[in-house]
């Protein structure tokens, strides 16, 4: 069970406000460092997103984690997370358009999702209530394992043809 994820943003307040809106959550200041925010989903799992300023990094402190400064992050990131949201595809598209962030519907084959490119820097995959069941079915180890075997078999056949 993932309870929270932390990621950087150029404008943590704006990102927290938008993500709280899309998750029906609430956002609060996050006192670990000035300018950080937390979005709480108000669910039974304690799910939350921690958004810290882009020029901050987590460091191993003397007794526990600490926050330090870093050079501004590159424009894009390897970070991404998939979350289920209680709003519609149309709502996500409207909010993305309002914020000027890239939003696109994607069919990944076994499931569908919506890419929300926060600050046009990193991707959050959003699953509406109608998309979540297919994702949950696909991510069961046996289903994913069978799919992976299929993909690997197809790749071997393609390499044999070349």
């Amino acid at each position: 069970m993932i309870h929270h994820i932390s990621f950087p943003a150029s404008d943590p307040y704006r990102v927290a406000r938008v993500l709280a809106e899309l998750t029906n959550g609430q956002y609060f200041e996050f006192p670990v460092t000035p300018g950080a925010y937390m979005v709480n989903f108000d669910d039974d799992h304690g799910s939350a997103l921690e958004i810290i300023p882009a020029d901050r990094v987590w460091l191993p402190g003397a007794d526990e984690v600490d926050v330090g400064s870093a050079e501004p992050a590159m424009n894009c990131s390897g970070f991404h997370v998939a979350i289920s949201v209680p709003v519609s595809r149309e709502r996500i598209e409207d909010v993305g358009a309002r914020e000027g962030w890239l939003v696109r519907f994607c069919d990944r084959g076994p499931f569908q999702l919506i890419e929300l490119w926060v600050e046009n820097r990193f991707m959050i995959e959003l699953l509406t209530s109608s998309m979540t069941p297919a994702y949950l079915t696909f991510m069961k180890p046996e289903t994913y394992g069978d799919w992976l075997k299929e993909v690997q078999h197809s790749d071997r056949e393609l390499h044999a043809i070349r």
Side-chain angles (χ1 to χ4, degrees):
M1 172 62 57
I2 296 172
H3 295 287
H4 69 262
I5 293 174
S6 176
F7 57 89
S10 296
D11 186 346
Y13 171 77
R14 178 181 178 197
V15 172
R17 181 181 45 78
V18 170
L19 295 178
E21 178 181 350
L22 292 175
T23 61
N24 286 344
Q26 294 183 30
Y27 63 95
F28 304 93
E29 289 183 20
F30 188 40
V32 300
T33 189
Y37 288 85
M38 178 169 303
V39 177
N40 294 81
F41 292 7
D42 193 23
D43 64 11
D44 293 335
H45 306 289
S47 302
L49 301 171
E50 298 172 356
I51 303 105
I52 63 173
D55 64 348
R56 306 289 177 189
V57 294
W58 297 115
L59 299 170
D63 296 316
E64 62 182 9
V65 68
D66 199 358
V67 179
S69 296
E71 294 297 316
M74 291 179 52
N75 194 33
C76 290
S77 168
F79 167 86
H80 90 276
V81 63
I83 58 176
S84 294
V85 294
V87 296
S88 68
R89 174 182 174 179
E90 294 76 21
R91 181 73 179 131
I92 295 166
E93 290 169 344
D94 288 347
V95 169
R98 180 191 74 208
E99 299 299 322
W101 297 346
L102 175 63
V103 176
R104 58 182 165 205
F105 172 80
C106 297
D107 188 336
R108 299 278 198 254
F111 59 91
Q112 300 172 331
L113 56 82
I114 299 163
E115 291 180 357
L116 175 68
W117 285 84
V118 175
E119 297 182 330
N120 295 313
R121 292 181 49 236
F122 62 87
M123 173 183 61
I124 294 183
E125 295 172 330
L126 302 175
L127 295 105
T128 65
S129 58
S130 64
M131 297 172 183
T132 300
Y135 176 83
L136 293 176
T137 297
F138 176 70
M139 288 308 292
K140 290 182 179 176
E142 61 275 9
T143 306
Y144 183 82
D146 290 345
W147 173 81
L148 187 58
K149 287 176 193 171
E150 241 179 74
V151 169
Q152 290 171 337
H153 180 73
S154 297
D155 284 349
R156 281 193 293 273
E157 287 179 353
L158 285 174
H159 285 87
I161 294 170
R162 294 182 186 159

